[in-house]
Amino acid sequence: MIAVILGTRPDIIKMSPIIRSCEKNGVDYFVLHTGQHYSYEMDRVFFEELGLPAPDFNLDVGSKSHAEQTGLIMTGIEKILKKERPDVVLVQGDTNTALAGTLAASKCYVREGSSQPIDVGHVEAGLRSFDRSMPEEVNRIVADHLSRYLFAPTEKAREYLCREGIPDEKIFVTGNTIVDAVRETLFLSKKRADTLRDLGLSCDSYFLVTLHRQENVDNKQRLKGILDGLAQIHERAGMLLVFPIHPRTERMITSFGLKLKGFQIIKPLGFLDFLQLESHARLVLTDSGGVQEETCILNVPCVTIRDSTERPETVDVGANIIAGVDPVSIIEAADRMLTCSRSWKNPFGDGKTGDRIIKILTPM
Ligand code: UD1
Ligand code: UDP
């Protein structure tokens, strides 16, 4: 039996192809939701739109400090693993949910006649920003080093893992499940012709912005600099900055009392609407990991408002540029990406990653 552990917006989206593959192939599995994300537009909307069954368990952990959130998730997961005794636990990406799932399973000794703990499979293994001040980098390093199965999206991710001494036989280059999720959902999303119209937008006539990284939005000077740079991009191009705002960012902008110019602020969107906005944007400016991948898959140019990326493949193919957070460098990066050719090839696989992972875990 497979335990699929998820808890945040990107976990739900990126685990959806794996859940679908379990359903299609009659694989015994259950879904454990940690409740790290819980607002309707960060959680339930994705289950509804992606046609996923409701989670079998929900820990309802909610928002907490890193240690408290991780500890509560571990305690809740351990209880369920002891009862359900899965053969393998799957975690995704670099969230506190992935960290806690990995740690709890790695010390859960429930296998009949064996002194080994439950195996962990890390989906999206081997990503590195090489910046350990990011909570995500810490989480993904721990998850990689404790996992039995490392599902690396690309050869580069495999190389990083090998360099850290992880044995090659644990690593499987599978592609990234985001390609499956985008392809499976794009058709449905295209039927939503209303997304742009409802927002008063037309194709290629707006910039799409997402921001939520702790290091960007929890620091007043840094966030102000980013918002000023974006406002200048709006002034120069005369195009609106459409900004589906992450709850963390909304909270910080309010508490810092920052003023926004040139933005059309909207609530976080479901995946169908967001894919529409993303695929028709003139340019996307973001600090999101998943959005860097999706723009690359959709052949839409991307400017990453960070000092590093753990998705260097997007930069290598010419789809993305790492701008830093200084207003001048964000403006220069936007200018460069506005004139780039959009003919790159998607480096994240063929859209069959979910099936590939399930096949590795359930041979025969
Ligand atoms: C988390 C992940 C991050 C990931 C992001 C995806 C960690 C350390 N961070 O960051 O890697 O990129 O999810 O979006 O795991 N909030 C709500 N409703 C929700 C969820 C959050 O209002 O459903 C607000 C709360 O004020 C909360 C804040 O957002 O304090 C941050 O939430 P949290 O889950 O701690 O971190 P994210 O920034 O979402
Ligand atoms: N996303 C969404 N609605 C939004 C913003 C993002 O559906 O308003 C999706 C986006 O398509 C991508 C995922 O959320 O698949 C990225 O999540 P996020 O940026 O929160 O986290 P990260 O990928 O940086 O961990």
Side-chain angles (χ1 to χ4, degrees):
M1 180 166 53
I2 296 174
V4 176
I5 297 190
L6 46 76
T8 67
R9 168 166 78 183
D11 298 339
I12 303 165
I13 293 170
K14 287 179 169 175
M15 283 297 202
S16 67
I18 290 181
I19 295 173
R20 274 204 204 103
S21 185
C22 287
E23 291 276 338
K24 197 173 63 189
N25 294 297
V27 172
D28 195 13
Y29 79 101
F30 66 88
V31 174
L32 194 172
H33 194 320
T34 64
Q36 178 172 348
H37 284 178
Y38 47 85
S39 303
Y40 173 79
E41 60 272 14
M42 300 296 287
D43 173 17
R44 275 246 316 280
V45 66
F46 299 103
F47 284 87
E48 290 171 9
E49 289 191 349
L50 295 166
L52 301 174
D56 300 276
F57 304 93
N58 195 324
L59 303 178
D60 287 323
V61 160
S63 302
K64 305 274 182 310
S65 72
H66 282 279
E68 202 181 350
Q69 188 174 62
T70 307
L72 280 173
I73 298 175
M74 283 178 69
T75 312
I77 288 180
E78 186 183 56
K79 284 193 187 120
I80 293 167
L81 294 184
K82 280 190 168 159
K83 203 164 138 269
E84 299 298 322
R85 303 156 73 100
D87 303 295
V88 57
V89 159
L90 284 183
V91 298
Q92 137 69 40
D94 52 23
T95 57
N96 287 345
T97 289
L99 171 69
T102 304
L103 284 171
S106 299
K107 294 192 187 182
C108 197
Y109 302 92
V110 293
R111 285 174 157 186
E112 212 71 65
S114 164
S115 57
Q116 292 298 310
I118 299 175
D119 282 335
V120 178
H122 187 200
V123 180
E124 207 177 63
L127 275 62
R128 294 291 181 270
S129 66
F130 302 101
D131 175 0
R132 288 202 186 183
S133 69
M134 294 177 68
E136 290 83 3
E137 184 79 349
V138 175
N139 292 349
R140 59 173 89 92
I141 289 173
V142 174
D144 282 340
H145 282 263
L146 294 180
S147 289
R148 161 66 188 85
Y149 300 96
L150 294 107
F151 300 115
T154 63
E155 282 297 334
K156 192 172 273 249
R158 178 210 281 273
E159 272 170 42
Y160 288 156
L161 293 168
C162 289
R163 265 196 247 163
E164 290 177 15
I166 292 179
D168 203 36
E169 67 266 18
K170 290 187 176 178
I171 309 170
F172 303 84
V173 178
T174 54
N176 194 311
T177 55
I178 194 64
V179 181
D180 317 22
V182 167
R183 294 210 181 140
E184 285 162 7
T185 318
L186 203 54
F187 172 74
L188 281 177
S189 160
K190 280 183 180 151
K191 290 192 181 163
R192 287 240 173 159
D194 299 352
T195 312
L196 265 61
R197 201 190 56 206
D198 289 352
L199 292 167
L201 303 168
S202 54
C203 294
D204 279 335
S205 71
Y206 60 93
F207 301 128
L208 177 63
V209 174
T210 82
L211 290 174
H212 74 280
R213 285 274 73 97
Q214 174 182 302
E215 64 275 16
N216 279 346
V217 307
D218 286 15
N219 175 321
K220 184 174 181 185
Q221 283 323 310
R222 197 162 161 127
L223 180 56
K224 185 173 180 314
I226 293 170
L227 296 173
D228 286 349
L230 291 170
Q232 288 181 55
I233 292 174
H234 154 74
E235 266 168 32
R236 286 155 65 103
M239 286 193 204
L240 263 182
L241 300 151
V242 181
F243 190 4
I245 197 160
H246 189 287
R248 174 194 281 273
T249 313
E250 186 175 28
R251 185 161 54 83
M252 296 318 293
I253 288 176
T254 307
S255 83
F256 293 146
L258 297 175
K259 297 274 169 291
L260 295 171
K261 236 181 92 197
F263 289 90
Q264 180 168 352
I265 304 279
I266 51 178
K267 282 169 72 144
L269 294 170
F271 198 40
L272 298 180
D273 286 327
F274 190 76
L275 277 180
Q276 277 303 294
L277 270 197
E278 217 174 8
S279 47
H280 295 300
R282 179 71 188 83
L283 179 70
V284 176
L285 301 111
T286 189
D287 62 10
S288 158
V291 173
Q292 290 176 64
E293 292 160 355
E294 285 166 2
T295 48
C296 187
I297 295 162
L298 295 165
N299 289 91
V300 175
C302 181
V303 170
T304 295
I305 305 175
R306 284 176 42 188
D307 296 320
S308 62
T309 183
E310 56 293 310
R311 274 96 176 163
E313 299 86 352
T314 59
V315 178
D316 294 346
V317 299
N320 185 17
I321 190 166
I322 308 307
V325 296
D326 171 65
V328 174
S329 59
I330 298 172
I331 295 165
E332 283 171 4
D335 283 346
R336 269 183 62 192
M337 291 314 284
L338 280 168
T339 54
C340 76
S341 136
R342 293 182 171 208
S343 55
W344 61 79
K345 284 211 169 67
N346 151 40
F348 293 114
D350 58 3
K352 296 180 182 151
T353 298
D355 283 339
R356 205 166 278 128
I357 289 172
I358 290 305
K359 216 167 168 189
I360 291 164
L361 294 176
T362 56
M364 281 184 309

